[in-house]
Amino acid sequence: MNLDKLKNDWESLAERDAFGAILTDPSRGDGRWDNSEFMATGEAEIGIVMSHLAGIGCVPNFDCAALDFGCGVGRLTQALGRRFASCVGMDISRRMIEKADSFNQYAHCQYVVHSDVRLPFAEESFSFIYSNIVLQHVPRGFSEPYLRDFVRVLAPGGVLVFGVQDSFAAPDISSQMIRVRHILRIRSRIQDALGLGQRHMQMHCLPERAVRRALGSARVADIQFTNTAAKDFNGKLVYLPQAPTSGYVGKQYCVVKEP
Ligand SMILES: C[S@@+](CC[C@H](N)C(=O)[O-])C[C@H]1O[C@@H](n2cnc3c(N)ncnc32)[C@H](O)[C@@H]1O
């Protein structure tokens, strides 16, 4: 797996059904998301995150710039655009960015296609970086360098919030099946053999020790279990009181780069 392959996966997914690839609630697949309902989930999610950040004393500086990494069609970027002085949405998929551009309501919000772990920004460019339901699709050999670069482009005092899948929860059968498929990449191999292209989503875990190592001296201020790793996530972010007992264990990290 390299980033070219990941990019091709997402170009295919974006072409087929971008909304359904982003929020995978099966009842909304095959083009059944309504545009405004879909975008409203982004506003609700960012509202929940900002309330949580206020509760733990990690409010970002809204007078500066925000980055939405893996922005898709801009579901979350637009909500950040309503709050921050400027905002950049970045995605590996050109088709996703074309759609994001078509939904953009703000001159101070820009979208960028980029497919390298070195982000095209100077040190300390952003007061807030957000990334949700993205790194879970990125192989670990790339997600760790991305985390390091998030810290590089985060301003002193800046806040980084991202979700990753930590691990698989034991021990029910569906979790074990996901685990086996994850290890063997059965679907990927079958699709390769049939020449059907890579239209599925790769899923990867990044355990907390690897996250902390990648973040270096940046302070992990908070970790929450969330429902975002669920295979039918519908955009309604929920902080869970404890780790899920089956499927992927999703964690949301709040990281502060001390001044
Ligand atoms: C499930 S969607 C989430 C989109 C958006 N974060 C949201 O919640 O609405 C995952 C997005 O991450 C993008 N992506 C995957 N790997 C990426 C990478 N290495 N760099 C930038 N974007 C990436 C995909 O193209 C896709 O748009």
Side-chain angles (χ1 to χ4, degrees):
M1 182 66 160
N2 56 36
L3 285 180
D4 288 343
K5 192 155 176 289
L6 187 67
K7 180 178 172 65
N8 290 340
D9 287 355
W10 281 100
E11 295 296 9
S12 301
L13 290 161
E15 184 168 28
R16 189 176 55 174
D17 177 11
F19 287 7
I22 291 167
L23 298 180
T24 48
D25 177 349
S27 69
R28 303 306 189 100
D30 298 323
R32 278 174 286 173
W33 271 107
D34 168 76
N35 286 11
S36 53
E37 226 182 322
F38 179 89
M39 296 304 276
T41 65
E43 175 58 32
E45 178 171 326
I46 294 299
I48 290 168
V49 170
M50 290 303 163
S51 299
H52 180 69
L53 293 181
I56 60 172
C58 291
V59 177
N61 182 350
F62 295 103
D63 295 331
C64 297
L67 171 66
D68 177 16
F69 176 78
C71 63
V73 302
R75 181 179 76 93
L76 303 161
T77 328
Q78 291 295 288
L80 294 173
R82 275 190 273 286
R83 292 166 172 81
F84 285 84
S86 67
C87 188
V88 177
M90 165 176 289
D91 203 279
I92 200 168
S93 159
R94 182 167 300 282
R95 286 195 182 98
M96 286 289 188
I97 290 295
E98 284 167 3
K99 290 177 197 289
D101 273 328
S102 74
F103 293 122
N104 192 4
Q105 297 181 359
Y106 302 106
H108 64 269
C109 180
Q110 293 183 321
Y111 290 103
V112 178
V113 183
H114 185 74
S115 52
D116 192 273
V117 292
R118 176 80 178 182
L119 304 183
F121 307 112
E123 278 72 8
E124 307 180 358
S125 294
F126 299 99
S127 65
F128 185 63
I129 300 176
Y130 189 69
S131 184
N132 195 23
I133 52 174
V134 177
L135 292 173
Q136 64 196 40
H137 303 300
V138 177
R140 185 166 162 175
F142 296 101
S143 52
E144 289 186 52
Y146 275 125
L147 289 180
R148 281 196 286 279
D149 221 42
F150 291 165
V151 174
R152 179 185 68 81
V153 301
L154 193 63
V159 179
L160 161 64
V161 176
F162 62 93
V164 286
Q165 291 177 167
D166 185 85
S167 53
F168 292 102
D172 74 15
I173 289 180
S174 75
S175 290
Q176 296 308 319
M177 288 302 291
I178 292 170
R179 184 186 185 100
V180 168
R181 202 173 68 207
H182 179 85
I183 292 168
L184 297 180
R185 305 246 185 272
I186 291 170
R187 212 190 310 180
S188 170
R189 288 175 189 192
I190 292 171
Q191 284 196 331
D192 279 349
L194 296 176
L196 294 177
Q198 299 297 297
R199 292 186 302 232
H200 61 284
M201 288 174 217
Q202 294 280 333
M203 302 300 272
H204 301 273
C205 293
L206 193 62
E208 189 174 326
R209 66 178 180 285
V211 169
R212 287 183 180 273
R213 188 173 57 227
L215 293 171
S217 60
R219 179 170 65 88
V220 176
D222 182 63
I223 304 175
Q224 295 289 325
F225 293 113
T226 72
N227 64 333
T228 58
K231 58 180 183 288
D232 56 354
F233 181 58
N234 64 3
K236 293 189 180 133
L237 170 67
V238 176
Y239 293 117
L240 305 174
Q242 59 202 27
T245 53
S246 65
Y248 289 106
V249 177
K251 285 186 179 175
Q252 184 188 81
Y253 291 80
C254 171
V255 178
V256 176
K257 185 169 171 180
E258 301 294 2

